[in-house]
Amino acid sequence: MKIVAPAGNMERFYAAVKAGAQEIYMGLKGFGARRNAENFTLEEYKEALDYAHKRGVRIFLTLNTIMMEKEMDFLYENLKVLYEHGLDAVIVQDLGYFRYMKENFPDMEYHGSTQITVGNHIEAEYLRKIGFKRVVLPREMTFEEIKKIRENTSIELEIFVSGALCICYSGNCYMSSFIGSRSGNRGMCAQPCRKEYTDSKGNKGYFLSPKDQLLGYDEIQKLKEIGIESIKIEGRMKDPNYVFETVEYYHQMINEKEVEERVSEVFNRGYSKGYFNGADTSLINKNYSYNLGKEIGLIFGKELKLKDRVVLGDGIIYLSKDFEKLGGGYLNKIEVKGSKELRKSAEAGETIFLKDVPRGSKYIFRSFAKEVNDDIENKLKKYDQKLDITGEFFGNLGEKPLLKLEAVNNQGKKIQVEKVGENEGKEMLEVERKGLRYAGISFLIYMILIVFLAIGKGAFLKDDAGSLVSTKSPLMAGLIPIMALAFFIPGLVFGKITGKIKNDKDVVKMISQTLGEMGGYIFIVFVSAQFLSLFSKSNLGIIMAIKG
């Protein structure tokens, strides 16, 4: 299961990639269902494509609105540039424009937008037959309805799991168009559903404003079990921290890790499961329709009884009993009731004192969670997504080295590359042999000198039992390390000069390759020592003939 993340500008795009999104949907300036978002210029889009593809991330162009005749020819030139630059797919609503693109760009991948309102498997299968590879199902569908479609079609399915909900069916709303001539079907919704209204009884409230959708661990596992290909996050107009936190949240759950939910700490106008489990009486938030953050307690006078942990630097908002904003600020001092010392934090259940509380305040919301946002900012600096590449290296003396690399590209195809070395390593082998020869000769000469010194000083004598013992001469005690140095130093020096020995692994390699050749030199040395002992006045014996 893949995550399809939103990106309304370059900053949000980078946040989505770093958080682990495998697919990102983005719009060109002037097009798509979020024309009020900053969106991307053609050059920015190409830059994003290059950045994403190096990391194995796919990019989808959003053309999910009804297209006008004059827009089609103008868009063709831009689409041609992106197509040639490697655009991965187009999300489309207008079936007429889909046919136009299919005729001109037959190899492009096309996804049916949620605005097409595919509500059953017959419609989903029809889209597959005319050339769509994927369809984004409406947010209004229950899990059982999604499951039935999955069981009866092979087209890829994409499901919204987080973000804003429309009061109408899949964004096909004309309310904004009728009231202010700004059609949601043209990407210009003024969101009249987020306004306050008065009912027939004179009650005021945000009666048309749904809470945002936020599915959890259990819902994600259900979607995985039935074979949903992708889950989608709404939020092209939300800030980068929201994009990062939401993508990472679902990335962990896809990997079957239960993780703390912190999305509500970054953006919050109320959350629900949407329509996933059927009718939900808590879908609408009639108290407010904008991002207030998370409620942290009720205030009585200047005392705040905490429902959640707070730290220095948290941003807070004072609200009236009708959720009207009365003021706000940052916690720059935490004074806990019953404690004489100032604190850096306070926990749920404790009471803290606040100063300059606006008259009429009842609710306190945290509009900025410092700990969470600091953690996200830190991750944004450290995290980056990499393309997985597997590799094998084959190297044998006397043969050409071979390197094999393998990766999966943005179309899901396995790409394999093999690189054969230009040289067979003969020159390198010859240098190693010279090094061994010089090391061996040096060792032999050094050992002969040691033997003569030993004879002259009587280093090795036999005891009364005829076994070899050492005198108090320091020569015997230092002989073994001297032998080791005499053996390794010339070879190491030669290796360093020629550049063939660069690290510890090269030293180990040299040792293992020379043991066999050195055996011959060692044998010659000790035979020479035994021979010389016949002519010496001391009873020199073979050094290895230790007692017992």
Side-chain angles (χ1 to χ4, degrees), residues 100-113:
Y100 173 80
M101 287 189 293
K102 190 69 175 174
E103 291 174 350
N104 287 278
F105 306 100
D107 297 329
M108 181 72 80
E109 183 177 313
Y110 297 99
H111 298 178
S113 168

Side-chain angles (χ1 to χ4, degrees), residues 25 136 163 195 386:
Y25 63 101
V136 185
K195 305 296 182 182
K386 303 294 184 182

